[in-house]
């Protein structure tokens, strides 16, 4: 509880290094490792580099949906900003009116 534990992020290979090194010695295994059934090396004739995926292509209907969604976001944003501006202007004008009324009412009492 007092000593913080640092989380371990997995490496890009998928292997996670141990947080604490073991104090006992580990003897290496001799012999064949069991087969897991997954290909470890690429088959002959296959390229070793990763294949590049094709770019995303939008149909005309998809393009209309994306444009409509972006337009809706802009319209809603403009409405919200204008409402916020209206509230700010109203608050400032009410504050100015309050200061003017206070000075008028206090000036009448001091004469």
């Amino acid at each position: 509880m007092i000593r913080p534990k640092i989380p371990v992020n997995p490496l890009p290979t998928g292997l996670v290094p141990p947080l604490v090194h073991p104090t006992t010695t580990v003897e290496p295994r001799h012999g064949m490792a069991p087969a897991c059934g997954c290909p470890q090396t690429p088959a002959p004739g296959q390229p070793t580099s990763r294949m590049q995926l094709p770019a995303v292509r939008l149909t005309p209907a998809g393009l209309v949906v994306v444009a409509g969604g972006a337009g809706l976001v802009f319209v809603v944003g403009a409405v919200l900003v204008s409402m916020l501006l209206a509230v700010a202007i109203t608050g400032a004008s009410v504050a100015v009116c309050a200061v003017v009324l206070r000075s008028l009412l206090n000036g009448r009492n001091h004469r």
Side-chain angles (χ1 to χ4, degrees):
M1 185 170 147
I2 295 174
R3 292 177 23 195
K5 295 181 181 178
I6 301 171
V8 178
N9 292 332
L11 296 175
T13 59
L15 300 174
V16 179
L19 183 61
V20 179
H21 297 290
T23 56
T24 60
T25 59
V26 178
E27 296 179 12
R29 289 188 175 180
H30 299 288
M32 297 292 293
C36 65
C38 57
Q40 298 295 325
T41 58
Q46 287 184 340
T48 56
S49 64
R50 292 183 182 243
M51 292 177 51
Q52 207 169 12
L53 295 175
V56 176
R57 297 177 189 225
L58 290 176
T59 62
L63 191 59
V64 168
V65 169
V66 169
L72 181 67
V73 167
F74 285 135
V75 167
V76 169
V79 167
L80 290 177
V81 167
S82 64
M83 288 173 62
L84 181 65
L85 187 61
V87 168
I89 290 172
T90 303
S93 64
V94 166
V96 168
C97 290
V99 168
V100 169
L101 284 175
R102 182 178 174 191
S103 67
L104 288 175
L105 292 176
N106 282 340
R108 200 182 300 171
N109 293 337
H110 288 291
R111 289 185 186 178

